[in-house]
Amino acid sequence: MTVPMVLMIYLLSQLFVQLALKMEDVLTEIPPPSRFFQEDLNNFTPPSSPLPSPFLLFSNPKPDQPLRPTLLIIALSTSSLYVFNHVSSKTLIGSVFLPEIPFSGNTFKPSLGNKSCNIYALNSADNLTLLVSIQCSVSTERSNVVAKLLIGEQIIPERVLILDSVQSQNFRGKLSSDETCAFKLETLAERKGQDGVCGVSSLLKGLDYFPSGSMVDGLAAALLARCQMRNIRGALCLSWPECGGSVVALIKSILQRTVLHGIDLSSKGDAEDKYLKFSKIKDHPFDSELYT
Amino acid sequence: MEFLIEQGKQLHQDCSTLLLPALSIGNVGQLAVDLLVSSTKAERIGYLDDPYILPCVGNDAYGPIPCGDLALPLEAYDSPASALTLIQQRSPVVQGMMIEFAKNLADFAVASGKKHIVVLSGLDFGRWQRIDMSSGLQTYYLSSTNNDGTDEYCEQLGWKRLQEYNPAQRSWKYLSALAEGNALEENRLPFEDELGEEDYYPSLPFAALFSCFKAKGLKVTCLLCYCSEGDNMPDAFHVAEAACKLLGLSPDNFHGDEGVKWLTPFSWKTVYGPPPDMSMF
């Protein structure tokens, strides 16, 4: 046996070892999303310790008067957070505080790297548009209470736009990281508006509906469900992939077509911005409480 | 739990039977309800807003061509022709809150005047003590009619009462006390590592629903079938057919299409993901 043959056999064996390590152990790996954990099916599982309620804090609060924006935009995806970070004509007016999210590592000035949920007013001649930038992970169990906080009590919007990414684990179609796309889901009130009953065009005109059989969970789902149940015009934009220049460009074009027509969304020329290169603002690879 | 009725819709008073899934292995109850909603062409009349159910949204699950109608976690459908209200549950319950969730559903059933509750669920094939496939896939049941869980009509249909139901056993007793709201601290179950095989069945979601509906004085029947995780559509058909037998419904009469009994929901086309990429061959 020659040296090259021995080397090839060695390299092939290493490849098989690596493949085996990467292959999931079907017995011990977490089940796919449509199947349950044992605790999900146990009546006697003790509940988790209750968390303190989240709350809103405004810089200029009017306790007896809820805010009534014409449009409430809630940015959840990395790409939408990046786009809105570059909107210069926004004013910080408040924040959503989740007691379970630590502030350590946050800067005083709003920054994409902060774990925060800031509320901004977007300058608009006639109508108040509010933007909520959710730069931290909100657990599925907390989503309903956060959605209730954002819609229907201290903030009563006429219309809601939610921007999130397709959750690949809940998507039943084919998604390639080379492909940039966006889908929508809308409340009945928003769809009726398209038929001309209300005379106002859809927030996400031109996007295909999210395919049947695929689902969205978490905060985006809680927000849209709340809009549906409260008969509020609401739309959810689901973009793919999670980050990258192409999806940022797509989000910009969607927003400038309708929602933010006339607002400058151009970046500051920092094409090498690290948030375009790396995945997930919320789970940034440099984020660690060890290094605050 | 708040029931939010859709605009322009109404609760049908003659829909006196409520049919709903219990979360289980194989998602059998949920698949069966999907099949029944689709086949009876039941009309969605509203949503149930409950703090103990996790959020989810999607496009219309039923079709024939989804047109953007939102699917939410807990939805109520009416089929007046079958005198049936169906609840579909699409997402899990917050861990540790199953009994509270079941109580809320029982309160809804009472408030909306339901007389008979039918709960559909799968059971883990790995727990089946005495396997009997001599007459094909067996249907098991649990009924509130008699104290021992039996019901004469279910027996006539050839079904077997769930043998593991024992109202005097500690976990069934504790569950019943929780459902009635008078569980005492000294009756709490031992720690998890001290629980035995006999504590397994009362720990399952169908048992919580059974106990809570029964505690409200409602007639409740659980229809159960053993299955494993996998392609559980056949199990869904089995349980849906059992539900029709129990309620005296004939799938042939559901929608009038000639020769077609069941209409599978549009969303079932991709329940196991997309087809493989043929270019790799």
Side-chain angles (χ1 to χ4, degrees):
Chain A
M1 193 176 283
T2 63
V3 168
M5 282 177 69
V6 168
L7 186 59
M8 186 179 295
I9 291 167
Y10 171 76
L11 288 172
L12 279 172
S13 69
Q14 288 302 301
L15 178 62
F16 286 128
V17 164
Q18 291 302 316
L19 282 172
L21 286 172
K22 283 185 179 143
M23 280 171 64
E24 289 177 343
D25 177 350
V26 297
L27 294 178
T28 58
E29 284 295 326
I30 57 170
S34 62
R35 305 301 190 183
F36 299 110
F37 289 101
Q38 191 63 35
E39 305 80 56
D40 291 333
L41 300 180
N42 188 341
N43 297 326
F44 306 125
T45 299
S48 308
S49 304
L51 287 170
S53 300
F55 57 95
L56 296 176
L57 203 58
F58 291 105
S59 53
N60 189 16
K62 290 177 182 155
D64 298 329
Q65 296 174 19
L67 287 172
R68 293 181 182 275
T70 310
L71 176 64
L72 173 66
I73 303 173
I74 302 164
L76 297 167
S77 63
T78 296
S79 45
S80 62
L81 288 168
Y82 176 84
V83 167
F84 284 112
N85 182 57
H86 290 87
V87 170
S88 52
S89 59
K90 63 182 190 285
T91 309
L92 179 65
I93 64 165
S95 230
V96 183
F97 288 93
L98 284 83
E100 67 270 26
I101 306 290
F103 293 135
S104 59
N106 281 3
T107 59
F108 184 74
K109 207 174 155 189
S111 157
L112 268 181
N114 286 352
K115 297 245 180 285
S116 60
C117 303
N118 287 338
I119 305 173
Y120 301 90
L122 294 179
N123 291 359
S124 177
D126 303 314
N127 304 304
L128 174 62
T129 296
L130 286 188
L131 163 69
V132 184
S133 291
I134 308 280
Q135 291 181 193
C136 56
S137 291
V138 177
S139 69
T140 308
E141 289 77 14
R142 288 286 257 177
S143 295
N144 281 329
V145 72
V146 173
K148 199 173 166 189
L149 193 61
L150 288 173
I151 299 174
E153 293 181 347
Q154 289 174 266
I155 303 175
I156 303 179
E158 280 180 32
R159 231 170 159 186
V160 177
L161 172 63
I162 307 146
L163 298 151
D164 201 358
S165 298
V166 174
Q167 300 157 341
S168 56
Q169 71 274 18
N170 292 336
F171 191 75
R172 291 290 179 263
K174 287 184 192 173
L175 282 174
S176 160
S177 54
D178 298 335
E179 179 192 342
T180 306
C181 59
F183 302 99
K184 67 180 178 186
L185 286 170
E186 296 170 323
T187 63
L188 181 62
E190 175 68 10
R191 284 169 47 225
K192 271 188 181 169
Q194 277 174 263
D195 294 334
V197 173
C198 299
V200 182
S201 65
S202 163
L203 285 168
L204 298 172
K205 198 173 172 182
L207 293 190
D208 289 335
Y209 282 116
F210 197 52
S212 175
S214 299
M215 297 299 286
V216 180
D217 64 11
L219 183 55
L223 289 162
L224 193 67
R226 186 158 176 83
C227 291
Q228 173 79 349
M229 287 192 275
R230 300 294 183 275
N231 205 31
I232 297 172
R233 294 191 65 174
L236 167 60
C237 173
L238 295 155
S239 55
W240 177 262
E242 278 196 62
C243 59
S246 60
V247 70
V248 166
L250 176 63
I251 294 296
K252 276 187 191 175
S253 75
I254 291 168
L255 291 172
Q256 283 180 310
R257 238 184 282 153
T258 51
V259 174
L260 296 177
H261 184 68
I263 291 190
D264 181 16
L265 295 178
S266 56
S267 67
K268 298 186 180 90
D270 47 354
E272 299 304 304
D273 191 299
K274 61 184 178 183
Y275 292 108
L276 278 183
K277 281 202 260 189
F278 293 111
S279 63
K280 303 181 197 176
I281 281 170
K282 291 169 195 178
D283 298 315
H284 195 277
F286 298 134
D287 282 348
S288 170
E289 290 186 15
L290 291 177
Y291 299 105
T292 57
Chain B
M1 178 179 284
E2 193 182 348
F3 176 60
L4 297 147
I5 199 154
E6 269 199 23
Q7 271 193 337
K9 303 288 173 68
Q10 57 170 3
L11 272 169
H12 297 91
Q13 297 302 320
D14 46 357
C15 290
S16 56
T17 299
L18 175 64
L19 186 142
L20 70 159
L23 300 184
S24 76
I25 189 167
N27 304 87
V28 171
Q30 293 160 290
L31 290 170
V33 170
D34 253 359
L35 194 56
L36 286 162
V37 168
S38 180
S39 301
T40 60
K41 297 203 172 169
E43 178 195 25
R44 190 173 60 204
I45 52 158
Y47 309 101
L48 292 158
D49 187 10
D50 190 270
Y52 303 128
I53 194 160
L54 296 177
C56 72
V57 288
N59 196 348
D60 176 24
Y62 299 113
I65 297 171
C67 51
D69 206 17
L70 273 187
L72 261 54
L74 208 53
E75 299 177 320
Y77 294 81
D78 264 3
S79 172
S82 308
L84 194 56
T85 295
L86 304 102
I87 286 179
Q88 178 58 296
Q89 180 178 347
R90 302 188 192 288
S91 60
V93 173
V94 174
Q95 270 187 24
M97 305 309 294
M98 183 65 71
I99 293 170
E100 292 305 313
F101 175 70
K103 281 185 188 172
N104 288 346
L105 278 173
D107 288 339
F108 164 74
V110 167
S112 49
K114 302 304 177 193
K115 302 284 182 285
H116 183 198
I117 318 300
V118 178
V119 178
L120 307 180
S121 179
L123 295 173
D124 187 354
F125 189 85
R127 298 276 188 165
W128 204 355
Q129 297 291 324
R130 287 180 286 275
I131 298 173
D132 176 12
M133 297 294 287
S134 58
S135 50
L137 195 59
Q138 175 66 274
T139 301
Y140 289 81
Y141 77 93
L142 184 60
S143 170
S144 60
T145 303
N146 299 320
N147 283 339
D148 63 355
T150 57
D151 176 272
E152 285 73 29
Y153 182 56
C154 293
E155 293 291 325
Q156 284 171 21
L157 290 172
W159 300 340
K160 291 186 177 172
R161 185 203 71 133
L162 183 70
Q163 296 295 316
E164 287 80 3
Y165 176 67
N166 176 3
Q169 191 268 343
R170 64 179 177 187
S171 288
W172 284 109
K173 275 175 74 172
Y174 183 57
L175 189 57
S176 183
L178 284 171
E180 288 163 8
N182 52 18
L184 300 174
E185 191 59 36
E186 55 261 31
N187 295 334
R188 287 186 71 85
L189 293 178
F191 291 115
E192 198 175 325
D193 53 1
E194 295 172 7
L195 295 175
E197 277 298 311
E198 68 280 6
D199 300 301
Y200 170 69
Y201 283 88
S203 75
L204 296 176
F206 84 86
L209 292 169
F210 176 78
S211 300
C212 289
F213 285 123
K214 191 177 172 192
K216 291 287 182 187
L218 294 164
K219 176 180 158 76
V220 52
T221 310
C222 299
L223 299 181
L224 314 158
C225 82
Y226 282 94
C227 66
S228 302
E229 293 281 8
D231 179 0
N232 297 109
M233 289 183 197
D235 307 300
F237 277 96
H238 176 81
V239 169
E241 282 175 355
C244 289
K245 269 192 198 162
L246 178 71
L247 300 173
L249 302 173
S250 172
D252 294 317
N253 299 334
F254 279 161
H255 46 80
D257 288 343
E258 42 298 319
V260 177
K261 271 168 62 168
W262 296 107
L263 280 176
T264 56
F266 184 88
S267 58
W268 281 23
K269 288 184 186 346
T270 55
V271 69
Y272 296 115
D277 181 2
M278 299 309 291
S279 65
M280 67 181 173
F281 300 111

